[in-house]
Amino acid sequence: MQKLVNIMKALRAPDGCPWDKVQTHKTLKKCSMEECAELMDAIEDENDPGMCEELGDLLMHVVLHSVIAEERGVFTFDDVVQGISAKMIRRHPHVFGDEKVNDTSDVLKLWEAVKKQEHKDDRKSLMDGIPYHCPALLQAEKMQKKAAKVGFDWSTQEQILEKIGEEFNEVKEAIAEGNDEHIDEELGDFLFAITNLVRFRKRNSSEDLLAAANRKFIKRFRYIEEKLAEQGKDIEAVSLEEMDSLWNEAKKKGIK
């Protein structure tokens, strides 16, 4: 670890790398998010060598942010390591203390209780602490889960389905009005209601489900491209009906 810290300090030195020298916490935000996304791709593909590489890239970003912070005199990489180590011990009193748990549900309740105690002085609202830079679908689920903990939740899936239907009708009404801002607002409410159903089911996250749907779309669209290429046809020149027919063909083949 010290070798990696020294490498990043050398890159930031006056005679170091021109790119690394000018980076700030803010300029690295996009790159850090991309590294997280690439790690998720490697995990999804069950690519172990890729996962190892991407974890290294992500660790490099942690070290680089820490080196920049050390230059600013606010904290060091050692502070980061000490901080997370202390937090892990503090948040697992059932492992490092005397607390007793029976299952994962008990662990999550205990985790939240310790977390709440840690932030009792700096969080005024139940909604505080939700990261604004995480994907909006995950953000919505986090908000809904927090509200559910104090009883602001649905009782059945059927109730949420009714709400989804209600929001869909409001989308149609807004479209009939022709007010673009209102349409956008109602589309947002519609997505939020669907996320509520996904969250309520306690299975995969909305983000995971949409990602799976995206991958399915890509595979089926590539099938269309491949079939048209085999026929010597330009995809930009064929009709929607022909593409739709190939889409249904891909669907029947179980491509997903």
Side-chain angles (χ1 to χ4, degrees):
M1 284 307 309
Q2 190 56 51
K3 179 180 180 181
L4 181 56
V5 172
N6 291 340
I7 289 171
M8 301 318 298
K9 286 184 176 180
L11 292 174
R12 294 277 296 177
D15 58 346
C17 171
W19 185 88
D20 289 278
K21 287 192 295 182
V22 299
Q23 297 312 305
T24 66
H25 296 301
K26 287 190 176 181
T27 62
L28 287 170
K29 278 170 56 178
K30 182 175 178 290
C31 297
S32 297
M33 290 175 69
E34 287 174 354
E35 296 299 349
C36 289
E38 289 172 5
L39 173 60
M40 296 305 105
D41 286 348
I43 292 172
E44 184 63 34
D45 295 340
E46 298 182 353
N47 179 353
D48 292 330
M51 185 162 47
C52 181
E53 179 183 352
E54 299 305 337
L55 282 168
D57 290 344
L58 198 55
L59 179 58
M60 180 273 290
H61 272 258
V62 173
V63 173
L64 181 52
H65 277 289
S66 301
V67 168
I68 294 171
E70 184 175 354
E71 293 169 358
R72 294 170 49 231
V74 287
F75 63 81
T76 67
F77 178 71
D78 188 59
D79 293 327
V80 173
V81 174
Q82 295 296 335
I84 190 60
S85 298
K87 180 191 284 188
M88 288 299 98
I89 292 172
R90 190 169 61 246
R91 296 222 182 147
H92 292 83
H94 54 293
V95 176
F96 303 104
D98 300 324
E99 293 286 348
K100 303 296 181 185
V101 295
N102 296 315
D103 51 29
T104 302
S105 177
D106 287 348
V107 172
L108 292 175
K109 288 177 183 176
L110 188 57
W111 177 281
E112 286 300 325
V114 176
K115 189 176 178 181
K116 185 176 181 181
Q117 188 65 26
E118 291 172 354
H119 298 286
K120 63 179 181 180
D121 297 326
D122 58 345
R123 291 186 179 175
K124 310 301 181 187
S125 167
L126 198 62
M127 295 294 117
D128 288 346
I130 298 173
Y132 290 113
H133 283 85
C134 74
L137 288 175
L138 289 180
Q139 192 180 89
E141 284 195 13
K142 286 179 177 291
M143 292 161 57
Q144 293 163 1
K145 285 178 180 177
K146 286 201 170 192
K149 287 175 184 174
V150 294
F152 193 67
D153 198 12
W154 306 95
S155 301
T156 65
Q157 292 186 92
E158 287 70 29
Q159 290 176 328
I160 308 177
L161 285 171
E162 287 181 18
K163 182 63 176 176
I164 290 173
E166 176 187 318
E167 296 295 352
F168 181 59
N169 288 333
E170 290 178 5
V171 170
K172 291 193 290 185
E173 289 170 7
I175 290 174
E177 291 172 5
N179 184 326
D180 285 334
E181 287 187 8
H182 191 199
I183 294 169
D184 289 344
E185 179 186 354
E186 296 302 340
L187 283 170
D189 291 346
F190 183 51
L191 288 171
F192 192 85
I194 293 173
T195 301
N196 234 322
L197 178 60
V198 176
R199 187 267 317 167
F200 188 86
R201 285 170 50 77
K202 293 184 172 69
R203 286 175 54 82
N204 294 306
S205 70
S206 300
E207 194 71 27
D208 288 337
L209 294 183
L210 182 56
N214 289 345
R215 289 192 296 272
K216 180 169 64 176
F217 180 89
I218 289 171
K219 287 179 181 177
R220 290 180 179 175
F221 194 82
R222 283 177 176 165
Y223 178 85
I224 294 173
E225 291 175 316
E226 288 167 5
K227 287 299 176 183
L228 289 174
E230 288 173 7
Q231 299 168 22
K233 295 180 179 179
D234 182 352
I235 193 169
E236 294 183 7
V238 300
S239 67
L240 173 60
E241 288 74 19
E242 192 169 353
M243 284 191 285
D244 198 42
S245 175
L246 288 171
W247 176 275
N248 289 328
E249 189 176 299
K251 201 171 176 181
K252 287 178 182 177
K253 288 179 177 288
I255 296 176
K256 58 184 179 180

